[in-house]
DNA sequence: GGCTATCTATCAAGCGTTTGCTCGATTCTG
DNA sequence: CAGAATCGAGCAAACGCTTGATAGATAGCC
């Protein structure tokens, strides 16, 4: 059942498994979870649909593993930023920057996260989605609130609403940003931070 | 085939039809199109699944009609704003305001628009999606560009990227904003416009 | 006003296909 | 040889959709 490779690492992980996960992620991100069939994934991988069940216990398990991997590493990165920064403004800037880098490096996972997580949050076996979302929200809102307390950020904006505005506009970038085009994660991030800091109005 | 009611209006429209469309919209908005079955819709309406086909030719036709109605009236409203405003800044403010009002009045259609339109844009029978999206984009970007030309908006932001930031953050509000809670469309709109105008940083 | 013809909305039953998944047999590989 | 990966065949359920029959309302007519 569980692969034990020669490097001694015992885990349900292998190169082939990761390939299949990546294929599934790409299809699910573009067509949606329930519009993606196990036969679609198997076809893309060059195997029969039944063979997928040597690697995964169910179609849902594939989705759960994709989302769990993504959200766990994302939360780790955010927690690291929160712990290692001095000023709230630096923290928020780095959080935004990290989000854009994640969009660049893992566009499929980001797409799945956006499309499926809201419905999944209430689903059995996906409790980690709302748990991790809550902890991420806490990190971002702490940065915003601390920034208001320190006088860096305007006190008149509602932290909760502002967080959602920022979160949604940043992650939604994943819907149209494709590496290799006119923009890079760096340029997008810089552009967004300027927009976020200064607003649209001229002085 | 086509209902001709006593008021002389000939169209494939009726009260019952609209009810069924509203039910389908609610389910599709929450679970996604392909995760929503015709039996789900029929159950919710208290009829058998086959009876749906007296009103609609296919499941896809229901989705197409929902999206077409929504995008057509939305485009009309945006065009009216563009035509009736004097300054670019007033235009952009009213566009944002209209978007929030639409989220409030038609949350299901907005949800479907967000979740399904990107995949649908390439689909046969849904050409109107990308056509209307392009015209909407043109209206918004004209407002942004004109505002930059007039000196109202900062010239250093990229209009195309800025449009997408605004569009995504505004529409994504529909994912968490539910009328009857702490916020109204008005308060959200005012809050967002302040955020958009001034940015986050204190002076 | 009563009778009939028409039309609308639904039911009841089921069709053909697709779906997620199972399981023993087989091939591949270190 | 042993274990991992895949095949081949198929099952039961769910899917979108079709079709003929059936109530219930509406309209026309004398």
């Amino acid at each position: 059942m569980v692969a034990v490779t020669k490097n001694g690492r015992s885990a349900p992980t292998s190169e082939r498994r990761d390939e299949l996960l990546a294929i599934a992620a790409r299809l699910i991100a573009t067509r949606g979870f329930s519009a993606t069939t196990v036969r679609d994934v198997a076809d893309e991988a060059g195997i029969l649909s039944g063979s997928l069940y040597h690697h995964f216990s169910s179609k849902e398990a594939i989705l759960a593993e994709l989302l769990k991997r993504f959200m766990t590493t994302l939360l780790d990165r955010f927690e690291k930023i929160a712990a290692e920064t001095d000023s709230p403004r630096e923290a928020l800037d780095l959080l935004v920057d990290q989000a854009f880098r994640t969009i660049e490096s893992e566009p499929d996972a980001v797409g799945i996260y956006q499309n499926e997580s809201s419905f999944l949050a209430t689903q059995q076996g996906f409790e980690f989605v709302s748990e991790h979302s809550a902890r991420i929200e806490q990190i971002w809102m702490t940065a915003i609130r601390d920034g208001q307390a320190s006088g860096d950020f305007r006190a008149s904006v509602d932290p909760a609403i502002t967080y959602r505005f920022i979160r949604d506009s940043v992650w939604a970038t994943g819907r149209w940003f494709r590496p290799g085009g006119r923009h890079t994660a760096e340029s997008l991030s810089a552009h967004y931070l300027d927009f976020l800091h200064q607003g649209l109005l001229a002085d």
Side-chain angles (χ1 to χ4, degrees), chain A:
Chain A
M1 271 297 183
V2 168
V4 179
T5 56
K6 54 184 163 189
N7 60 30
R9 200 150 49 106
S10 105
T13 178
S14 74
E15 273 189 30
R16 183 53 168 163
R17 215 182 130 88
D18 289 346
E19 272 181 59
L20 297 175
L21 278 172
I23 289 171
R26 206 183 69 240
L27 295 180
I28 294 173
T30 52
R31 306 136 92 119
F33 176 67
S34 69
T36 303
T37 72
V38 294
R39 282 173 176 82
D40 289 338
V41 178
D43 281 355
E44 203 79 359
I47 58 178
L48 294 178
S49 66
S51 305
L52 276 179
Y53 290 81
H54 171 72
H55 301 276
F56 309 100
S57 65
S58 72
K59 185 190 170 190
E60 259 199 43
I62 297 178
L63 177 62
E65 185 162 341
L66 283 171
L67 264 180
K68 203 163 204 167
R69 279 194 191 190
F70 171 72
M71 296 197 72
T72 302
T73 67
L74 183 66
L75 180 57
D76 285 350
R77 288 167 181 162
F78 284 162
E79 276 175 339
K80 193 166 177 235
I81 289 173
E84 293 180 356
T85 48
D86 310 311
S87 79
R89 172 168 170 181
E90 185 196 1
L92 187 60
D93 286 5
L94 287 179
L95 287 173
V96 167
D97 199 60
Q98 178 60 66
F100 280 109
R101 286 176 200 282
T102 303
I103 292 171
E104 187 179 46
S105 62
E106 297 162 80
D108 295 331
V110 171
I112 296 172
Y113 175 54
Q114 287 181 91
N115 292 328
E116 321 284 348
S117 66
S118 70
F119 174 62
L120 255 46
T122 66
Q123 216 74 3
Q124 200 179 22
F126 289 86
E127 295 83 5
F128 68 91
V129 172
S130 39
E131 289 166 10
H132 285 203
S133 292
R135 294 178 64 186
I136 290 174
E137 175 170 340
Q138 203 182 339
I139 292 172
W140 284 68
M141 282 194 52
T142 298
I144 294 174
R145 284 213 185 86
D146 289 356
Q148 289 182 309
S150 71
D152 285 331
F153 301 153
R154 291 197 293 130
S156 54
V157 301
D158 181 301
I161 299 187
T162 302
Y163 162 63
R164 288 172 175 165
F165 284 154
I166 298 174
R167 175 197 64 185
D168 293 341
S169 52
V170 169
W171 286 126
T173 307
R175 289 184 189 266
W176 52 268
F177 167 56
R178 285 291 162 262
R182 297 207 319 281
H183 307 289
T184 64
E186 280 85 2
S187 73
L188 255 189
S189 176
H191 209 101
Y192 181 77
L193 284 175
D194 172 58
F195 173 72
L196 172 65
H197 292 154
Q198 308 283 91
L200 187 58
L201 252 43
D203 306 312

